[in-house]
Amino acid sequence: MTTSGAHDDALRSLEVVLADMNHADFSTAVRLAAAIHAHRGTLSRSAELFALVAPESLGQAAAEGAVALLGIGDADGAHRMLAASRLGAPTAWSAGWRLVTTGLEHSVVDDGVAGLAPLLQSVTALTPVGRDCVMLDSPAALAALMALHLGELDLAESVLGRAVAADLGGPRFRLRHQILLGWVAMARGDMDGASTALDEAGAPPSDDTRDTYLLHAVRVGIARRSSDTGALAEAWATARTAVAETSVDLFHLLALGELLVGAARLQDEHWLAPQLHQAKAVLDGLGQPALWSAAFHWYGVQAALASERPDVLIPHADAISEAARVSRHAQTLTSAGRTWLRVLKRDVDLSAVTEAVHGLGSIGLTWDASQLAAQAALHSSDRRVSLDLLTLARAAHSGHTATSASPSTHSRSSQLTDREWEIARLVVQGFGYREIGERLFISPRTVEHHIASVRRRLGAPNRAEMMETLRRLVEGSSTTEAQ
């Protein structure tokens, strides 16, 4: 019943057993109900259920109990559950879930990198026995989330691809894996690929709030990265229902961060205040673990920049700096954040920005890297430096980072297509869409589409900054041609 999608019916049936703590099947009912509540976006309820049973009585389910407790920030409870899980039968299922919990437990210590290996091993262990089984979460999804927090996009894509091919967890988790593949594409700056992955995933069942939340976060992220304010407003408005229905846990942090930045762009981030409070409680309960906290707080920094609230930025920046004591990933974010703040103060150092862009690209934040370079180009008073930075932004957006920018790389082809460049020149000269269309024998709507593409390629957050960037490009091109 719980694998067919009839979660409401299953919960009603389980209520009879859960009402009697002496029932012979009480522990089994706890495990099944906990898995359903995890799908419904309330892992806190799952943890409450597991807490009703002595860990030793849960058998192999104690490992899943450890995942739930760790997910809500109860490290001590999770440790007791993990210890109890070692007493279970030596089945592939038990061994696989012990690896899951061991990996997650390692993820909250030091830089957390040691947790990746056990989680990846758990996917291998559970693949033969995990199809169409009731699970609290997918080990592949958990491994992918950990890899995404570390900026290991190739690793996340690989483990998710294996899970899809093996149909690990059946239809419920196939959807989760495909949405996360969309996240990977989005993180790489491939918005078309991300949209395609979401289309292939389809809509989650109405009772699967956890994946609905994740799906909305990707849609908000795609709209934000495409600089499409209308689409962003629409995606955010649709997401707010899932936000209200979901209780944030450790495994929601990336999605919450993406929603936060999107909401900040729309000056609507107050809607997320309760969830931000929950996220802080979870991270504090685990001692602000570097692996999970650094990526989340990076989103907090970006949201503060988007809403122009430096007072909100400081706690997030401090948290990343603290994580940098043990994490190279956090060290990269700290350095990039400091460079970004200097850029916003119009203090643009080409070598510092280049280093920060390379650093962000190395940890999978290619879109952020492109945005940093583009903003630095807009804030530089040196035209040649601006052109170098625009080339760097384009390279970062494409997943490549140039170590230097020679005069040849300043050519228009490194930034725009021939048609886009032709239209850009006319726009800078003051021609309207209709006039440009008449000159080039295309429709005004086609001109508008080209201009939207130009804005995305340049990473300009609005039309005014796009125009300023185009003027610099046109002036730089004219100077180069004259030489």
Side-chain angles (χ1 to χ4, degrees):
M1 187 181 296
T2 52
T3 59
S4 66
H7 280 178
D8 289 344
D9 291 340
L11 283 177
R12 279 191 289 270
S13 298
L14 292 169
E15 281 293 293
V16 177
V17 181
L18 293 173
D20 180 7
M21 296 184 67
N22 295 316
H23 196 287
D25 295 324
F26 184 77
S27 295
T28 300
V30 163
R31 176 178 173 270
L32 295 176
I36 293 172
H37 283 293
H39 279 285
R40 295 166 79 94
T42 52
L43 191 65
S44 56
R45 176 61 180 148
S46 305
E48 288 175 0
L49 287 168
F50 278 117
L52 295 173
V53 187
E56 303 78 31
S57 302
L58 284 169
Q60 65 181 24
E64 290 179 273
V67 173
L69 290 166
L70 197 67
I72 66 165
D74 184 353
D76 291 339
H79 184 72
R80 288 193 296 272
M81 285 282 184
L82 178 58
S85 73
R86 297 193 176 101
L87 304 176
T91 63
W93 181 270
S94 297
W97 274 98
R98 283 197 294 272
L99 284 167
V100 172
T101 52
T102 298
L104 289 175
E105 196 170 48
H106 286 333
S107 78
V108 299
V109 179
D110 297 327
D111 64 0
V113 175
L116 266 177
L119 264 173
L120 293 172
Q121 292 164 18
S122 76
V123 177
T124 300
L126 288 168
T127 293
V129 295
R131 182 176 295 179
D132 293 328
C133 290
V134 178
M135 295 190 291
L136 189 85
D137 204 340
S138 156
L142 295 174
L145 284 170
M146 189 182 296
L148 287 170
H149 275 84
L150 290 169
E152 296 288 345
L153 302 186
D154 289 344
L155 185 56
E157 183 177 42
S158 174
V159 71
L160 291 167
R162 286 165 51 199
V164 170
D167 203 22
L168 178 60
R172 282 273 181 179
F173 288 109
R174 187 186 313 135
L175 174 74
R176 185 159 175 76
H177 298 149
Q178 288 173 329
I179 296 173
L180 283 169
L181 282 170
W183 189 291
V184 172
M186 178 185 71
R188 285 196 170 116
D190 180 7
M191 302 309 142
D192 290 339
S195 297
T196 298
L198 296 190
D199 290 342
E200 292 176 352
S206 59
D207 57 1
D208 201 330
T209 305
R210 175 175 62 188
D211 288 340
T212 299
Y213 188 94
L214 179 63
L215 178 68
H216 285 312
V218 181
R219 285 177 173 161
V220 166
I222 291 171
R224 175 174 72 87
R225 288 166 169 80
S226 300
S227 300
D228 189 334
T229 304
L232 175 59
E234 182 179 353
W236 168 241
T238 306
R240 294 201 305 181
T241 299
V243 167
E245 294 176 347
T246 305
S247 176
V248 165
D249 55 59
L250 189 68
F251 315 121
H252 278 108
L253 292 181
L254 281 183
L256 173 58
E258 191 60 59
L259 290 170
L260 175 62
V261 181
R265 287 283 177 90
L266 300 170
Q267 302 296 308
D268 200 27
E269 66 269 36
H270 66 280
W271 188 271
L272 290 166
Q275 294 208 325
L276 293 173
H277 180 74
Q278 292 171 6
K280 183 178 184 303
V282 170
L283 289 171
D284 285 347
L286 299 174
Q288 289 286 331
L291 183 148
W292 299 98
S293 68
F296 173 70
H297 288 299
W298 177 255
Y299 274 114
V301 168
Q302 294 300 311
L305 293 175
S307 59
E308 299 181 352
R309 295 186 59 189
D311 58 312
V312 176
L313 183 150
I314 293 172
H316 292 292
D318 288 346
I320 297 174
S321 296
E322 183 64 27
R325 294 174 180 269
V326 296
S327 166
R328 289 186 179 181
H329 183 88
Q331 289 168 9
T332 299
L333 293 176
T334 298
S335 177
R338 289 171 178 165
T339 300
W340 210 314
L341 288 175
R342 288 176 59 188
V343 165
L344 294 178
K345 295 176 181 178
R346 299 188 179 276
D347 178 8
V348 179
D349 182 303
L350 178 60
S351 61
V353 173
T354 301
E355 182 178 354
V357 167
H358 277 280
L360 290 172
S362 72
I363 58 173
L365 296 174
T366 55
W367 188 86
D368 298 66
S370 176
Q371 287 298 294
L372 172 55
Q375 287 194 15
L378 292 171
H379 287 90
S380 175
S381 58
D382 187 315
R383 187 175 65 196
R384 179 61 64 180
V385 169
S386 292
L387 292 170
D388 284 345
L389 289 168
L390 285 170
T391 298
L392 184 64
R394 176 63 175 157
H397 180 73
S398 302
H400 306 287
T401 47
T403 55
S404 63
S406 63
S408 62
T409 63
H410 293 152
S411 66
R412 55 188 169 87
S413 62
S414 68
Q415 303 299 324
L416 310 173
T417 66
D418 289 343
R419 176 62 91 183
E420 287 169 350
W421 181 250
E422 189 175 19
I423 291 173
R425 281 183 177 275
L426 293 171
V427 168
V428 169
Q429 292 171 30
F431 290 101
Y433 291 174
R434 183 177 297 279
E435 294 171 300
I436 295 172
E438 290 174 352
R439 281 172 169 259
L440 301 180
F441 304 102
I442 57 178
S443 71
R445 181 172 293 277
T446 300
V447 175
E448 183 179 1
H449 288 323
H450 280 300
I451 291 298
S453 177
V454 168
R455 181 174 159 187
R456 287 194 298 271
R457 288 177 186 274
L458 297 180
N462 53 54
R463 180 178 173 81
E465 294 195 7
M466 178 193 74
M467 290 300 296
E468 182 177 346
T469 302
L470 286 177
R471 290 189 187 98
R472 291 187 180 186
L473 278 173
V474 170
E475 291 172 3
S477 176
S478 300
T479 301
T480 302
E481 289 170 1
Q483 292 174 348

